[in-house]
Amino acid sequence: MATGGEPDYRWDVFISCHPNQLSYVLRVLTQALESIGLRVYLYERDSEPGAPIADNIFNAATMSRKTIVCFTSDYLDSEWNLYEAMAAHGVKPSGGRMVPLQLLSCEIPQKYQLVCQLDCTDRLHRMYFWRKLLGALGIPDSSDIATQLNIDYPGGGLDMLSKAIPDLIPVHDVIPDPPRSSQRESREQPQQIPAPVVHQENLTQQLFLAVLIGTIICKILDALIKFVFGF
């Protein structure tokens, strides 16, 4: 959806969120934005299998006209999510490409507060959620669209975030491909490395060799001392 001299981006918007808020993003944000013709990138759905995770994230940020960053405490505790925010922010640090959403109460890092946020914890912001979001995404003449979306998803559908998980769409109902789900889990703990398994037999052999070498060294030193000092 390029306009004027704007580059022809592959995606209109990249939505960066934590898996704990993925059901809301799928059911509300993605469905609403795609219903008005926007091309939405979601890592769980659109990442390229086999490509490095960091490359998928960086390409999503650079090839999307805007990036919606859904800040929550969960998001800020995830190293991969913070990388997504950093990639989105780095594309144009002065603002314009990154749209920060404070979905739930959290302490957003200072460097991301240089651009105006859509604070979903604020009642007034919730009232004008779609008008503010579509404006931030640069959708022209969006007043009527925002009115219709507010009918379909009142207040941005943000009440869903406080409901019990069973009320939300299960992730596997929307994304049936297990490998992608597994890849997302690996993104949440990028530094966890399985501990090596040491076989008991190998450990015994290593201990025996260490004792043998130590004994040989002691005998050599003892012979050397006797030779030098004549003991």
Side-chain angles (χ1 to χ4, degrees):
M1 184 179 284
T3 58
E6 191 177 73
D8 187 14
Y9 295 106
R10 182 176 179 182
W11 310 95
D12 293 308
V13 57
F14 164 35
I15 303 180
S16 171
C17 71
H18 188 272
N20 287 352
Q21 287 77 51
L22 180 59
S23 292
Y24 165 78
V25 168
L26 284 165
R27 186 172 180 178
V28 177
L29 287 184
T30 302
Q31 288 188 12
L33 296 178
E34 288 184 338
S35 73
I36 63 173
L38 296 185
R39 298 163 298 178
V40 177
Y41 180 99
L42 284 176
Y43 177 90
E44 288 75 11
R45 184 187 65 184
D46 302 310
S47 58
E48 179 184 346
I53 295 174
D55 287 355
N56 270 317
I57 294 172
F58 182 77
N59 290 337
T62 56
M63 297 173 67
S64 298
R65 189 166 52 87
K66 300 280 185 176
T67 296
I68 296 176
V69 178
C70 301
F71 284 111
T72 64
S73 295
D74 296 324
Y75 189 99
L76 295 173
D77 287 338
S78 167
E79 293 185 24
W80 281 116
N81 280 146
L82 290 177
Y83 178 76
E84 292 175 358
M86 181 181 69
H89 183 257
V91 171
K92 190 177 180 183
S94 60
R97 292 281 296 278
M98 177 180 177
V99 180
L101 262 66
Q102 186 174 356
L103 277 187
L104 299 171
S105 181
C106 63
E107 190 65 35
I108 298 178
Q110 187 67 34
K111 62 181 177 180
Y112 300 127
Q113 297 184 22
L114 298 177
V115 294
C116 293
Q117 308 161 23
L118 178 47
D119 186 356
C120 301
T121 66
D122 182 271
R123 187 173 61 87
L124 191 60
H125 280 215
R126 292 165 75 100
M127 185 182 303
Y128 298 107
F129 178 85
W130 292 114
R131 180 187 297 181
K132 294 175 74 68
L133 181 60
L134 295 181
L137 295 178
I139 307 301
D141 304 320
S142 59
S143 179
D144 291 342
I145 301 175
T147 299
Q148 183 58 49
L149 288 179
N150 202 47
I151 294 174
D152 298 336
Y153 308 93
L158 293 164
D159 289 341
M160 175 185 289
L161 292 170
S162 61
K163 290 184 179 180
I165 294 300
D167 293 338
L168 306 181
I169 292 181
V171 172
H172 58 76
D173 287 348
V174 183
I175 310 171
D177 189 4
R180 290 187 178 181
S181 177
S182 299
Q183 188 182 38
R184 183 66 177 197
E185 291 174 4
S186 70
R187 299 201 317 140
E188 291 311 305
Q189 300 295 338
Q191 294 183 340
Q192 286 187 355
I193 303 174
V197 178
V198 180
H199 296 289
Q200 184 66 32
E201 182 178 354
N202 292 339
L203 186 60
T204 303
Q205 291 176 353
Q206 293 175 6
L207 183 60
F208 174 78
L209 288 174
V211 172
L212 180 61
I213 292 173
T215 302
I216 293 174
I217 292 175
C218 288
K219 288 184 177 294
I220 292 174
L221 289 175
D222 183 66
L224 183 61
I225 291 173
K226 288 181 180 179
F227 175 79
V228 173
F229 296 100
F231 291 157

